[in-house]
Amino acid sequence: MQAPAAAERNKGPILAVLRQYVGSGTHTGPGVLRVLEVGAGAGLHAAYFAQALPQTRWQPSDIDPQALRSIAAYAEAMHISNMLPPILLDVSQSWEMWGGIQPNTLDLLVSINMMHISELRCTEGLFKGAGVLLKHGGVLFTYG
């Protein structure tokens, strides 16, 4: 498991803001909130947020196979039942290539520390995907 120092430092403040959205009725109807985290990296955030927000069904993703292994290791080590296995996702590709996620099914799309280190086409893909995959009233949450 990788443990980036920046992720360790900012996980608490980010969680405080995420709680505002998770607890504010961003989804309609009963059940869990569907969350896709794009560019989950090492997985520290995904594991921390999924564990702290049990009302979510957290789907981590990344383009790097090594990151996917780290994400899976976090989920296993922390016994997180509401975190799905990580998926390989290239955010610059069309949303149809995003692991079978269907339009209007996500309550929250999370992207942390991706936009400032990736190519513009990744940011464009993130916004295009969010426009299709988020439910009405869903939130695209970005940080960094």
Side-chain angles (χ1 to χ4, degrees):
M1 296 183 313
Q2 302 167 11
E8 192 64 51
R9 280 192 308 272
N10 64 26
K11 68 183 182 182
I14 294 171
L15 176 60
V17 176
L18 285 174
R19 284 188 195 280
Q20 295 174 22
Y21 293 103
V22 170
S24 66
T26 59
H27 73 296
T28 56
V32 298
L33 288 162
R34 292 198 58 207
V35 180
L36 171 65
E37 182 180 357
V38 172
L44 186 144
H45 281 145
Y48 183 76
F49 300 149
Q51 189 172 58
L53 303 168
Q55 69 275 46
T56 64
R57 184 170 162 224
W58 203 275
Q59 175 64 76
S61 69
D62 205 278
I63 193 169
D64 180 4
Q66 184 176 349
L68 299 179
R69 289 189 293 275
S70 183
I71 295 165
Y74 269 106
E76 184 178 338
M78 295 174 67
H79 307 289
I80 303 171
S81 62
N82 62 321
M83 191 165 100
L84 299 169
I87 58 172
L88 185 67
L89 191 153
D90 179 350
V91 74
S92 71
Q93 299 295 311
S94 177
W95 66 268
E96 291 96 344
M97 305 298 292
W98 290 19
I101 299 169
Q102 297 300 304
N104 303 309
T105 59
L106 295 176
D107 297 291
L108 188 61
L109 202 162
V110 176
S111 175
I112 299 170
N113 291 330
M114 184 205 75
M115 290 191 295
H116 69 287
I117 62 168
S118 61
E119 297 177 17
L120 178 60
R121 64 190 178 108
C122 296
T123 300
E124 292 170 343
L126 174 68
F127 280 85
K128 288 177 185 175
V132 173
L133 300 176
L134 284 169
K135 294 177 182 177
H136 179 73
V139 174
L140 170 59
F141 178 91
T142 64
Y143 173 90

